């Protein structure tokens, strides 16, 4: 089979050559685990080219391993709530990094890379930070940043998308309040470039600090702002840029009555290179999934019924303050794998739900004293090469 698929071999004399089209070869390879595909890059030059070609890379599998989380205790290990088919060889204990990084805080995960920082996400500077890949056991130390001016909030985001580039970024947001009331805030953004291991500062004016859930897709960092029901889209800069191209995108779904909900932020993911968004309907009995088909056009891709998943029909309740809240949260979803991952806050368990059938199955029980996960991140291992990382 390998000899038949190899495209740059020399045919034996007197035999006919059978060469499969690139599309068919990629279709065959896409049915294999990603780890196997990475190993098969040494078979021939054409197979190696598939892994670096933007069009074909999008067709190769990105199998999720599960959810990364850390208990609400300082210095605890990073845990992986594995999906049934998840890779068992992932080293979330980070034994391959120097000892000084073992007790750092898990700040982010982006397409297989992890960002950990000893300073946490409320400090003015980044120090003893590392970007690492648990699948390949490679890592890189992030140089410290200088303390900035007085700030009202700080947030750090890791940005990596192997379908777009083999380099990664670290965005550090600092919201600096104006001295004059009601004018808004200035957000200073420092960007770390793995390409040349340097930081660059940028400025722009905004009324709010966008520090909620984020996702990096095709060179754009999308940051969701909970209360405004909007997304800030930031184009990744080059090493010479001092300004960030940005735009505001209105999120789909309900807005009327949203002020009466305690939490209605939904969840972001990507599918086939597009930004996707999932959110509960007002009664909580279904989840809708949209994709951003153009700069401002959301299209409904799926609607998943929730009433049969939890064994109960009522999925919203009210709290002491009079706000409504859902009995479950959307942790992650994956359209390619026909998967939505939910946390049942009443039963303290994480459930995997099939988008096509609506059937759910529990795959991890959350210990009662850790019902509120400090960090919970969807993890898709990446076995490819990241030039900046070393063993």
């Amino acid at each position: 089979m390998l000899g038949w698929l190899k495209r740059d071999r020399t045919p034996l004399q007197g035999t006919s050559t059978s060469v499969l089209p690139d599309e068919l070869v990629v279709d065959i390879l896409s049915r294999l685990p990603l780890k196997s595909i990475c190993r098969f890059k040494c078979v021939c030059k054409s197979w190696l080219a598939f892994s670096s070609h933007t069009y074909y890379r999008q067709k190769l599998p990105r199998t999720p391993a599960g959810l990364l989380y850390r208990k609400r205790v300082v210095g605890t290990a990073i845990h992986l709530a594995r999906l049934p088919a998840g890779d068992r060889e992932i080293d979330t204990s980070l034994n391959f990094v120097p000892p000084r990084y073992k007790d750092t805080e898990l700040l982010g995960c982006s397409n297989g890379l992890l960002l950990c920082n000893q300073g946490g996400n409320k400090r003015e500077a980044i120090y003893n930070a590392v970007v690492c890949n648990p699948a390949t056991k490679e890592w890189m130390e992030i140089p410290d940043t200088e303390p900035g001016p007085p700030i009202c909030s700080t947030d750090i985001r890791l940005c990596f998308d192997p379908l777009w580039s083999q380099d990664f970024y670290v965005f550090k947001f600092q919201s600096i309040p104006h001295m004059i009331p009601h004018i808004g805030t200035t957000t200073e953004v420092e960007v770390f470039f793995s390409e040349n291991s340097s930081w660059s500062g940028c400025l722009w004016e905004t009324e709010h600090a966008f520090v909620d859930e984020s996702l990096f897709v095709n060179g754009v960092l999308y940051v969701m702002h909970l209360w405004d029901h909007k997304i800030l889209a930031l184009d990744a800069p080059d090493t010479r840029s001092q300004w960030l191209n940005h735009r505001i995108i209105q999120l789909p779904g309900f807005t009327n009555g949203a002020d009466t909900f305690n939490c209605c932020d939904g969840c972001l993911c990507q599918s086939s290179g597009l930004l996707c968004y999932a959110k509960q309907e007002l009664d909580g009995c279904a989840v809708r999934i949209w994709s951003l088909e153009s700069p401002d056009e959301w299209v409904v891709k799926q609607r998943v019924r929730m009433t049969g998943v939890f064994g109960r029909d009522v999925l919203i309740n009210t709290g002491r303050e009079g706000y409504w809240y859902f009995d479950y949260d959307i942790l992650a979803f994956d359209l390619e794998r026909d998967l939505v991952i939910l946390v049942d806050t009443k039963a303290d368990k994480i459930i995997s739900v099939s988008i096509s059938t609506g059937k759910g199955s529990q795959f991890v029980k959350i210990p009662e004293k850790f019902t509120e996960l400090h960090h919970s991140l969807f993890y898709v291992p990446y076995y490819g090469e990241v030039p900046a990382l070393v063993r």
Side-chain angles (χ1 to χ4, degrees):
M1 182 66 175
L2 293 181
W4 186 36
L5 291 177
K6 287 177 66 173
R7 296 180 51 93
D8 52 344
R9 63 185 176 92
T10 302
L12 297 176
Q13 186 175 3
T15 62
S16 61
T17 60
S18 297
V19 178
L20 294 179
D22 289 347
E23 291 280 355
L24 185 54
V25 174
V26 172
D27 183 64
I28 295 172
L29 294 178
S30 67
R31 301 171 191 273
L32 302 173
L34 181 57
K35 181 184 292 187
S36 298
I37 294 174
C38 293
R39 291 171 176 170
F40 290 167
K41 290 191 294 185
C42 63
V43 170
C44 59
K45 293 180 180 179
S46 60
W47 285 24
L48 176 62
F50 289 147
S51 65
S52 59
H53 193 285
T54 304
Y55 173 75
Y56 292 121
R57 276 208 310 255
Q58 293 181 357
K59 296 179 177 292
L60 298 178
R62 297 177 62 255
T63 306
L67 287 168
L68 289 171
Y69 68 95
R70 200 164 190 172
K71 299 173 184 178
R72 197 177 288 274
V73 178
V74 177
T76 57
I78 300 171
H79 299 275
L80 178 62
R82 300 180 188 275
L83 290 170
D87 194 329
R88 300 287 170 177
E89 301 178 13
I90 303 300
D91 182 10
T92 59
S93 61
L94 307 185
N95 289 320
F96 54 92
V97 302
R100 65 180 179 276
Y101 297 119
K102 292 297 180 61
D103 295 329
T104 56
E105 182 180 358
L106 174 63
L107 293 186
C109 175
S110 182
N111 287 299
L113 301 188
L114 273 59
L115 172 64
C116 300
N117 180 38
Q118 204 168 69
N121 64 348
K122 296 299 181 183
R123 302 295 185 95
E124 294 183 8
I126 296 177
Y127 62 95
N128 281 353
V130 61
V131 171
C132 59
N133 186 345
T136 62
K137 299 183 179 180
E138 297 176 322
W139 62 280
M140 177 186 183
E141 187 177 50
I142 304 299
D144 297 348
T145 64
E146 295 296 329
I151 57 177
C152 60
S153 65
T154 300
D155 198 64
I156 303 167
R157 301 290 168 170
L158 173 65
C159 299
F160 174 64
D161 184 356
L163 298 180
W164 181 73
S165 171
Q166 298 301 298
D167 298 313
F168 64 84
Y169 303 87
V170 176
F171 281 70
K172 179 190 173 189
F173 297 84
Q174 291 190 127
S175 298
I176 306 169
H178 277 290
M179 300 300 293
I180 303 176
H182 310 298
I183 293 184
T185 62
T186 297
T187 300
E188 178 179 318
V189 183
E190 289 184 84
V191 183
F192 174 79
F193 300 85
S194 69
E195 179 184 0
N196 59 6
S197 191
S198 67
W199 288 90
S200 176
C202 304
L203 288 172
W204 89 86
E205 299 288 328
T206 180
E207 295 181 357
H208 301 284
F210 287 81
V211 292
D212 295 314
E213 182 183 355
S214 66
L215 190 69
F216 189 66
V217 183
N218 288 332
V220 180
L221 174 61
Y222 297 97
V223 187
M224 189 159 56
H225 190 233
L226 173 61
W227 299 113
D228 281 355
H229 202 61
K230 295 176 181 179
I231 287 180
L232 171 68
L234 291 168
D235 293 334
D238 57 39
T239 56
R240 301 179 303 274
S241 176
Q242 293 299 313
W243 292 94
L244 289 171
N245 295 324
H246 62 281
R247 58 192 181 279
I248 303 297
I249 302 172
Q250 183 70 44
L251 283 167
F254 68 83
T255 53
N256 53 328
D259 291 340
T260 63
F261 275 80
N262 187 40
C263 183
C264 54
D265 54 335
C267 181
L268 299 175
C269 90
Q270 64 172 311
S271 175
S272 301
L274 296 178
L275 177 70
C276 296
Y277 175 68
K279 186 176 182 179
Q280 298 98 325
E281 294 183 355
L282 277 172
D283 59 3
C285 293
V287 168
R288 290 195 187 187
I289 300 176
W290 294 263
S291 66
L292 188 63
E293 304 289 340
S294 68
D296 56 359
E297 181 186 4
W298 293 95
V299 176
V300 177
K301 304 296 289 187
Q302 298 285 349
R303 184 176 184 269
V304 188
R305 295 286 299 176
M306 292 288 113
T307 50
V309 172
F310 305 100
R312 56 185 186 270
D313 295 330
V314 179
L315 298 174
I316 57 174
N317 284 286
T318 55
R320 296 178 180 178
E321 299 82 6
Y323 287 103
W324 289 90
Y325 63 90
F326 297 111
D327 284 349
Y328 66 95
D329 293 326
I330 307 169
L331 293 183
F333 62 101
D334 188 322
L335 294 180
E336 280 88 358
R337 299 294 162 182
D338 190 47
L339 187 69
V340 176
I341 300 178
L342 309 170
V343 56
D344 185 345
T345 55
K346 295 194 71 174
D348 297 331
K349 60 184 179 182
I350 298 178
I351 299 174
S352 171
V353 180
S354 168
I355 294 176
S356 58
T357 66
K359 295 182 179 180
S361 60
Q362 176 182 335
F363 71 92
V364 66
K365 177 75 175 179
I366 308 172
E368 290 185 3
K369 62 180 178 178
F370 299 123
T371 299
E372 295 183 7
L373 302 182
H374 183 46
H375 282 293
S376 180
L377 302 166
F378 199 40
Y379 177 66
V380 180
Y382 179 67
Y383 295 96
E385 179 183 356
V386 181
L389 303 184
V390 297
R391 289 189 181 274

